[in-house]
Amino acid sequence: MEDTIGTNPPSLGFLEKLKSWLSWSWTYVCFVWFGMVLIMVYIVWSPLKLQETLSSASVFLNTLTPKFYVALTGTSSLISGLILIFEWWYFRKYGTSFIEQVSVSHLRPLLGGVESSSSTGLFSSINGEAEPRPSVSDCKVWRNPLNLFRGAEYNRYTWVTGKEPLTYYDMNLSAQDHQTFFTGDTQQLKPDDAVMQKAWRERNPQARIRAAYQAIEMNHECAAAYVLLAEEEATTITEAERLFRKALSFAGKDINLLVYIKRRLAMCARKLGRIKEAVKMMRDLMKEFPLLGMLNIHENLLEALLELQAYADVQAVLAKYDDISLPKSATICYTSALLKARAVSDKFSPEAASRRGLSTAEMNAVEAIHRAVEFNPHVPK
């Protein structure tokens, strides 16, 4: 076992270096190939009589009748329609595009792209070993770290505006996450777990809630069912917190459930005004499970610290997570821009800046704001 552990890192490092070298050299290989093609065309221009071939091809195209172009257009439209119908069916069933999934899963790694993140290894078990979980498919839209409560917050928006705040795509992402977090190996599912696995896939909220009650009838200690009720049936944060506490008492040693519920309890505490308690809960959670970056607890911590106006603590969190190698988010980008703008706002004068130009700190603030807006322009001007 020790020999295996000792030999794995060098081999992985060699593969990473090889992949990096291949991706770096790909651009130059393309340029060389394009140059060789031009040289080859120049060399064989006369022997192969390419000019005559081109002229005969133009004559052939000129002799084609309009019926040919109509048939060509109809055939291509039919094929495109079939592809579109298949894509629509695949998206309805799996919540993602087949073409996009193939390109992300198979083509991007070959071209040196970043492989899609997996939930395996993000959650540590009680004895320190990683619990195997199905990988979470990559998506074009970064998952919203706020994760507002459907019953207590999203439904309130629906009551006020009459509009649905969640799209079908959002629902599919949520269903995939919940199945990953709260269900294990499908071969070992208990009856109440099987009911809950179907419940997360239901599009109708009332059907999900009915399934949760059905799972509770089968097993009064089904923690995942109480999580669903806290997320969707509870119409107030207080009621959601009560259900989450009940779910926590039944979570047992399921690390995914424990982490998810504790994070949601911390968010409930913040929304109910107990901000310092929420900050402590989030810090304890991050200290106890340092590898659970997928849930983005540090972003929820940033929001709570900003609410406390603890800017030094915010800067300390940003120093750890505002790294070029880590995935960016609107919370990280805008918080970084806020702190840099605050550092120069007290002494900033437009007249003085126009005379002397921007200082280094002011330029950093402007660049941070531009980076934040480029990442997510959907904010008030």
Side-chain angles (χ1 to χ4, degrees):
M1 180 65 72
E2 291 179 358
D3 294 338
T4 305
I5 294 174
T7 55
N8 276 342
S11 61
L12 290 175
F14 173 75
L15 291 176
E16 290 297 327
K17 289 181 180 179
L18 180 62
K19 186 180 291 187
S20 174
W21 181 82
L22 288 174
S23 62
W24 173 79
S25 61
W26 184 258
T27 305
Y28 299 96
V29 171
C30 290
F31 279 116
V32 171
W33 178 82
F34 185 69
M36 292 177 63
V37 169
L38 292 179
I39 295 172
M40 186 63 67
V41 170
Y42 177 77
I43 293 174
V44 303
W45 182 269
S46 295
L48 296 182
K49 300 180 180 180
L50 293 181
Q51 190 170 1
E52 295 180 6
T53 303
L54 291 175
S55 61
S56 61
S58 62
V59 171
F60 167 73
L61 293 175
N62 291 331
T63 57
L64 295 176
T65 62
K67 293 182 179 180
F68 169 80
Y69 292 103
V70 172
L72 179 63
T73 303
T75 304
S76 60
S77 299
L78 177 62
I79 296 174
S80 300
L82 293 175
I83 294 174
L84 181 61
I85 292 172
F86 173 76
E87 279 284 303
W88 174 80
W89 169 83
Y90 193 89
F91 182 83
R92 292 274 303 194
K93 187 171 183 179
Y94 299 104
T96 185
S97 165
F98 175 77
I99 296 175
E100 181 180 343
Q101 187 178 26
V102 169
S103 62
V104 168
S105 302
H106 301 288
L107 298 181
R108 188 172 65 173
L110 295 177
L111 299 177
V114 181
E115 296 180 359
S116 59
S117 60
S118 171
S119 62
T120 305
L122 289 177
F123 300 95
S124 302
S125 62
I126 296 295
N127 58 7
E129 298 178 356
E131 289 190 354
R133 292 284 182 176
S135 61
V136 178
S137 59
D138 195 9
C139 65
K140 187 181 297 184
V141 181
W142 186 255
R143 287 168 170 79
N144 178 15
L146 292 177
N147 281 337
L148 301 180
F149 296 96
R150 286 186 184 171
E153 293 174 310
Y154 282 129
N155 279 353
R156 187 190 311 161
Y157 176 85
T158 304
W159 298 335
V160 173
T161 65
K163 298 178 181 178
E164 287 290 339
L166 294 173
T167 64
Y168 186 77
Y169 184 63
D170 295 325
M171 298 288 287
N172 271 288
L173 285 182
S174 178
Q176 292 169 17
D177 286 344
H178 287 151
Q179 289 178 73
T180 302
F181 293 152
F182 305 137
T183 57
D185 188 358
T186 55
Q187 301 297 326
Q188 303 175 355
L189 283 181
K190 295 182 291 186
D192 53 304
D193 289 332
V195 171
M196 288 308 301
Q197 191 176 48
K198 294 180 180 178
W200 298 121
R201 291 197 298 263
E202 288 285 352
R203 178 161 173 77
N204 186 287
Q206 295 305 317
R208 288 194 296 273
I209 292 172
R210 285 195 299 269
Y213 279 114
Q214 181 183 351
I216 291 174
E217 289 179 2
M218 295 180 176
N219 177 14
H220 181 67
E221 298 183 356
C222 182
Y226 289 108
V227 168
L228 190 147
L229 294 178
E231 292 283 354
E232 305 205 12
E233 189 185 40
T235 56
T236 65
I237 301 298
T238 303
E239 178 67 11
E241 185 180 41
R242 184 187 67 80
L243 288 168
F244 274 122
R245 291 192 185 280
K246 197 167 186 178
L248 183 62
S249 65
F250 298 137
K253 295 184 179 182
D254 191 321
I255 299 301
N256 289 3
L257 264 175
L258 285 172
V259 172
Y260 184 91
I261 294 171
K262 288 182 178 180
R263 169 177 173 259
R264 293 305 251 170
L265 282 172
M267 296 173 72
C268 286
R270 180 202 161 198
K271 294 173 188 295
L272 293 173
R274 307 195 305 270
I275 306 175
K276 291 184 179 180
E277 178 187 342
V279 168
K280 184 180 184 305
M281 293 172 68
M282 292 176 192
R283 288 190 185 278
D284 292 343
L285 207 51
M286 293 169 64
K287 189 180 300 183
E288 188 177 359
F289 305 99
L291 299 179
L292 44 75
M294 186 179 183
L295 288 179
N296 299 315
I297 299 177
H298 59 279
E299 300 192 3
N300 303 128
L301 177 62
L302 283 175
E303 294 160 359
L305 291 173
L306 285 174
E307 198 166 350
L308 288 175
Q309 298 184 1
Y311 298 113
D313 292 336
V314 173
Q315 187 62 60
V317 176
L318 277 180
K320 184 176 181 180
Y321 291 99
D322 190 12
D323 190 284
I324 193 170
S325 63
L326 296 176
K328 286 291 177 288
S329 70
T331 303
I332 294 290
C333 292
Y334 276 94
T335 303
S336 177
L338 170 67
L339 292 188
K340 290 178 180 177
R342 285 189 80 258
V344 299
S345 61
D346 293 338
K347 302 178 181 178
F348 181 75
S349 170
E351 294 79 9
S354 62
R355 291 195 303 269
R356 59 171 170 78
L358 295 176
S359 65
T360 303
E362 292 166 348
M363 185 62 69
N364 290 338
V366 172
E367 290 177 354
I369 293 171
H370 279 295
R371 182 186 72 157
V373 174
E374 286 176 3
F375 185 87
N376 180 13
H378 305 291
V379 294
K381 291 184 179 181

